């Protein structure tokens, strides 16, 4: 249920002063329940009319769950303009969430921005170069409360599988177990943002664009830090405010527009964007030195560590394979190391390979992102193209766990055709081994690759017919077009698709590829008509 109320006041004076004030409240409440059940081995298959649960003979299962939550907000905003030259906007919110206890339930989040339209100043009037020029700056705080409910209290549960026990061979006795532990001090995660920007339009609109610099700091990040199992048993650890993270960067967008002012037969629009972001985990809570996550089977792909980028890949540095018995004897090695097996770098320098040698092996954040668009029109023809790309980011191709090691009986990668053997001792690709040690199957630089790519995202060609006399003048327009998407991708990445976002985890495991379905190449033909 959502309930919103707002009140707005507007005041203007002689096109000089303009003030808009808004105040409001918002309340949100949710309650949900989920129920599922299933069985197999029905008497008749293929006939949905006979698929009723009592008729199933095996795999009997059922489950249910539910949840409640609420959010209450009070907010206000004031926008002021003087001669449309000096602009000020102020906002404040006070939000209360049921996800936090009474001592930290509410958070206050202010924001403000100012802008100066320089092109309206007398010293720029009459300029033939600057059509519009605006300098702006803003600061704001936002809150995050997206965590499971009731983290501030202990949660108990009574289930047959977890808390019912037979005593002395007698009947099963029901019981209660502690499902999750509390953190009474859990509070809002906050994002503090500051940005400075410049918007410009030049030469009567032929060139326009924007430049932005920003700095964003996330404080009190929410994360369920694992507690020792000896202390909590099977109970879930609560979310805690684990630390701070910083992002800073610059964004530039420029557009060129030809033929519009003169209404020429040929018109052209070019748009380009480039951005760079630098990320760093600033600090973690005193009780957390670092946090490894992104666990899948024997892989632990990612780490949260102060001074490093968020989502950094973590594991052993790959150093090829042990090429011979002599190489194995003189090199640092791990328990179960073998000729033809993975060889790692001894980071600590103690002459052996241990878990302490695991280190940062990749960065999922790109050096920069970019895009480029072209829109052209000549008489009745039109053409549009869009390209985008990423440069300098690493990707973690976790599918190699199945295709390049002995963990899966299915088809192996073609890379294995060049694996090490007695007749191919120069290879840097290991030989799979059914009796591989845990070290061989651990996270390492073998999975990390350059994820840079350049992709043609869209292409479309269209033609607009002159329909003045069609259907007795009742047709207004008719356009036919041919289009294609994802025509080509230039990349050195060997996975299915370099445009990998993230793997689901408590924290985002950025750039970890478990076989994301590749973006399809599509060809389109269509028409649009107006009457």
């Amino acid at each position: 249920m959502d309930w919103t109320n707002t009140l707005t006041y507007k005041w203007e004076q002689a096109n000089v002063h303009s003030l808009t004030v808004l105040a409001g409240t918002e309340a949100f409440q949710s309650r949900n329940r989920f129920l599922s059940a299933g069985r197999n081995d029905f008497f008749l298959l293929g006939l949905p009319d006979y698929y009723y649960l009592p008729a199933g003979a095996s795999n009997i299962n059922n489950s249910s769950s539910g949840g409640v939550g609420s959010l209450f907000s009070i907010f206000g905003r004031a926008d002021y303009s003087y001669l449309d030259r000096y602009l000020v906007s102020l906002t404040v919110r006070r939000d209360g969430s049921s996800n936090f206890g009474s001592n930290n339930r509410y958070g206050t989040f202010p924001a403000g921005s100012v802008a100066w339209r320089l092109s309206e100043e007398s010293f720029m009037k009459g300029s033939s170069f600057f059509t519009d020029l605006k300098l702006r700056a803003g600061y704001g705080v936002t809150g995050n409360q997206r965590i499971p409910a009731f983290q501030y209290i202990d949660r108990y549960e009574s289930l047959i599988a977890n808390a019912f026990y037979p005593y002395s061979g007698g009947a099963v006795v029901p019981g209660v177990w502690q499902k999750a532990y509390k953190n009474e001090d859990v509070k809002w995660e906050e994002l503090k943002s500051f940005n400075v920007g410049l918007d410009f339009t030049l030469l009567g609109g032929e060139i326009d664009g924007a430049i932005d610099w920003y700095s964003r700091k996330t404080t009190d990040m929410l994360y369920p830090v694992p507690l020792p199992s000896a202390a909590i048993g099977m109970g879930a650890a609560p979310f805690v405010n684990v630390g701070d993270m910083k992002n800073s960067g610059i964004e530039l967008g420029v557009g060129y527009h030809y033929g519009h002012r003169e209404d020429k037969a040929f018109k052209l629009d070019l748009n380009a964007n480039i951005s760079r972001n630098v990320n760093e985990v600033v600090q973690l809570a005193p009780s957390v030195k670092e946090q490894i996550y992104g666990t899948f089977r024997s892989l632990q792909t990612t780490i949260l560590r102060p001074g490093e980028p968020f989502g950094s890949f973590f594991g052993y540095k790959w150093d090829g394979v042990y090429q011979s018995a002599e190489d194995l004897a003189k090199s640092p090695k791990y328990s179960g190391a073998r000729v033809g097996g993975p060889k790692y770098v001894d980071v600590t320098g103690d002459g052996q390979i241990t878990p302490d040698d695991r280190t940062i092996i990749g960065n999922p954040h790109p050096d920069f992102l970019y895009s480029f668009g072209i829109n052209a029109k000549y008489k009745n023809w039109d053409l549009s193209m869009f390209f985008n790309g990423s440069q300098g980011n690493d990707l973690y191709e976790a599918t190699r766990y199945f295709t390049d090691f002995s963990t899966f009986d299915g088809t192996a990668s073609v890379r294995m055709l060049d694996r090490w053997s007695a007749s191919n001792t120069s290879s840097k690709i290991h030989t799979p081994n059914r009796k591989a040690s845990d070290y061989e199957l651990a996270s390492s630089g073998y999975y990390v690759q350059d994820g840079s790519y350049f992709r043609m995202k869209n292409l479309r060609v269209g033609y607009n017919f002159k329909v003045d006399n069609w259907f007795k003048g009742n047709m207004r327009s008719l356009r036919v077009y041919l289009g294609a998407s994802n025509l080509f991708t230039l990349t050195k990445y060997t996975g299915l698709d370099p445009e990998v976002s993230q793997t689901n985890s408590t924290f985002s495991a950025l750039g970890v590829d478990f076989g994301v379905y590749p973006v399809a190449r599509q060809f389109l033909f269509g028409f649009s008509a107006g009457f």
Side-chain angles (χ1 to χ4, degrees):
M1 181 178 66
D2 196 355
W3 186 47
T4 304
N5 302 277
T6 59
L7 178 65
T8 303
Y9 170 76
K10 293 184 177 181
W11 174 76
E12 293 187 10
Q13 185 183 54
N15 293 324
V16 176
H17 301 280
S18 175
L19 175 65
T20 302
V21 179
L22 179 145
T25 65
E26 185 175 40
F28 173 80
Q29 185 178 52
S30 67
R31 179 180 294 272
N32 65 82
R33 294 181 65 88
F34 171 79
L35 175 66
S36 70
R39 294 191 184 191
N40 294 120
D41 288 345
F42 290 89
F43 179 70
L44 292 176
L45 299 178
L47 296 175
D49 290 340
Y50 290 90
Y51 286 178
Y52 295 100
L53 289 177
S58 65
N59 292 337
I60 301 171
N61 66 85
N62 57 80
S63 65
S64 65
S65 62
V68 294
S70 60
L71 184 69
F72 179 73
S73 305
I74 302 174
F75 53 88
R77 176 172 178 167
D79 298 316
Y80 173 74
S81 171
Y82 176 71
L83 293 173
D84 197 29
R85 185 185 307 169
Y86 309 108
L87 311 171
V88 179
S89 178
L90 300 174
T91 303
V92 64
R93 295 182 62 97
R94 184 161 175 81
D95 298 321
S97 171
S98 63
N99 288 343
F100 305 109
S102 58
N103 54 336
N104 291 307
R105 180 153 296 162
Y106 284 88
T108 302
F109 310 107
S113 63
V114 295
W116 177 22
R117 197 178 297 276
L118 288 85
S119 53
E120 293 295 321
E121 296 290 352
S122 58
F123 60 81
M124 294 195 66
K125 288 289 186 180
S127 172
S128 59
F129 183 73
F130 289 103
T131 305
D132 186 45
L133 188 64
K134 184 172 71 172
L135 181 65
R136 50 186 167 75
Y139 174 81
V141 183
T142 57
N144 173 31
Q145 50 92 36
R146 296 191 299 271
I147 58 175
F150 305 114
Q151 295 293 308
Y152 54 92
I153 58 175
D154 291 323
R155 279 90 74 201
Y156 296 86
E157 188 176 56
S158 178
L159 290 178
I160 294 177
N162 298 90
F164 284 41
Y165 301 94
Y167 287 95
S168 302
V172 174
V173 178
V176 174
W177 76 296
Q178 188 163 353
K179 178 184 179 181
Y181 287 78
K182 67 181 177 182
N183 174 18
E184 295 178 328
D185 297 322
V186 65
K187 60 183 179 179
W188 287 83
E189 175 183 295
E190 293 187 352
L191 173 63
K192 300 177 176 70
S193 302
F194 175 72
N195 72 285
V196 177
L198 180 69
D199 300 327
F200 58 88
T201 302
L202 311 176
L203 302 173
E206 288 193 2
I207 299 175
D208 58 19
I211 304 173
D212 281 275
W213 175 87
Y214 62 87
S215 177
R216 301 168 185 158
K217 186 175 182 180
T218 304
T219 58
D220 298 319
M221 292 187 297
L222 292 165
Y223 185 80
V225 177
L227 297 174
S229 58
I232 66 171
M234 295 177 61
F239 275 73
V240 300
N241 298 99
V242 72
D244 303 341
M245 177 176 67
K246 180 175 68 175
N247 285 279
S248 59
I250 187 169
E251 299 175 351
L252 171 63
V254 178
Y256 172 69
H257 314 283
Y258 172 81
H260 291 276
R261 284 190 301 165
E262 303 87 352
D263 196 23
K264 293 183 178 181
F266 176 70
K267 298 179 178 66
L268 176 66
D269 296 287
L270 303 176
N271 293 281
N273 293 274
I274 186 170
S275 63
R276 172 173 170 77
N277 180 73
V278 178
N279 174 277
E280 180 188 358
V281 176
V282 178
Q283 65 179 9
L284 297 180
S287 61
V288 184
K289 178 183 177 182
E290 60 186 29
Q291 183 62 51
I292 302 172
Y293 64 101
T295 301
F296 177 78
R297 298 197 177 185
S298 59
L299 296 179
Q300 290 181 306
T301 64
T302 312
I303 191 171
L304 197 65
R305 174 183 285 176
E308 301 291 347
F310 175 83
S312 293
F313 301 140
F314 183 69
Y316 297 98
K317 283 189 175 181
W318 186 265
D319 196 26
V321 300
Y322 294 105
Q323 297 290 342
S324 63
E326 181 183 2
D327 183 20
L328 181 64
K330 69 180 183 180
S331 301
K333 49 186 171 292
Y334 48 84
S335 175
R338 59 187 175 85
V339 176
K343 184 179 181 181
Y344 302 138
V345 174
D346 180 16
V347 174
T348 61
D350 61 359
Q352 57 184 338
I353 303 299
T354 68
D356 292 337
D357 291 302
R358 292 180 297 173
T359 186
I360 303 297
I361 54 176
N363 181 2
H365 300 276
D367 294 332
F368 60 89
L369 298 170
Y370 60 95
S371 64
F372 183 67
I374 301 173
N375 290 281
K377 185 177 182 181
Y378 180 70
K379 295 184 177 180
N380 293 344
W381 291 92
D382 60 81
L383 168 71
S384 66
M385 292 183 286
F386 181 74
F387 306 84
N388 74 311
S390 175
Q391 184 63 40
N393 61 298
D394 294 320
L395 292 178
Y396 193 107
E397 191 184 359
T399 53
R400 291 188 173 196
Y401 183 85
F402 300 104
T403 61
D404 293 22
F405 292 87
S406 57
T407 58
F408 183 59
D409 289 331
T411 304
S413 166
V414 294
R415 288 182 291 270
M416 294 296 98
L417 297 174
D418 190 38
R419 65 188 181 276
W420 182 93
S421 66
S423 59
N424 188 27
T425 56
S426 62
S427 175
K428 293 186 177 181
I429 299 177
H430 63 284
T431 301
N433 180 15
R434 282 289 185 184
K435 298 181 179 179
S437 71
D438 292 340
Y439 285 93
E440 289 195 26
L441 301 179
S443 176
S444 72
Y446 183 76
Y447 295 92
V448 180
Q449 302 177 55
D450 180 10
S452 304
Y453 72 91
F454 174 70
R455 169 170 284 168
M456 186 175 189
K457 197 76 173 178
N458 292 300
L459 169 66
R460 180 166 291 192
V461 180
Y463 183 81
N464 294 279
F465 290 90
K466 294 183 177 180
V467 295
D468 297 343
N469 299 317
W470 291 24
F471 295 96
K472 299 180 180 182
N474 291 321
M475 176 173 276
R476 292 184 292 105
S477 63
L478 178 63
R479 180 175 181 267
V480 296
Y481 58 88
L482 290 171
S485 60
N486 305 301
L487 272 177
F488 66 82
T489 302
L490 304 179
T491 183
K492 295 181 180 180
Y493 181 59
T494 62
L496 294 176
D497 193 333
E499 206 165 356
V500 176
S501 56
Q502 61 194 39
T503 296
N504 290 331
S505 182
T506 304
F507 270 155
S508 300
L510 303 175
V512 179
D513 182 4
F514 279 106
V516 59
Y517 196 83
V519 178
R521 180 178 294 121
Q522 296 179 329
F523 297 93
L524 305 172
F525 169 75
F527 71 92
S528 59
F531 292 90

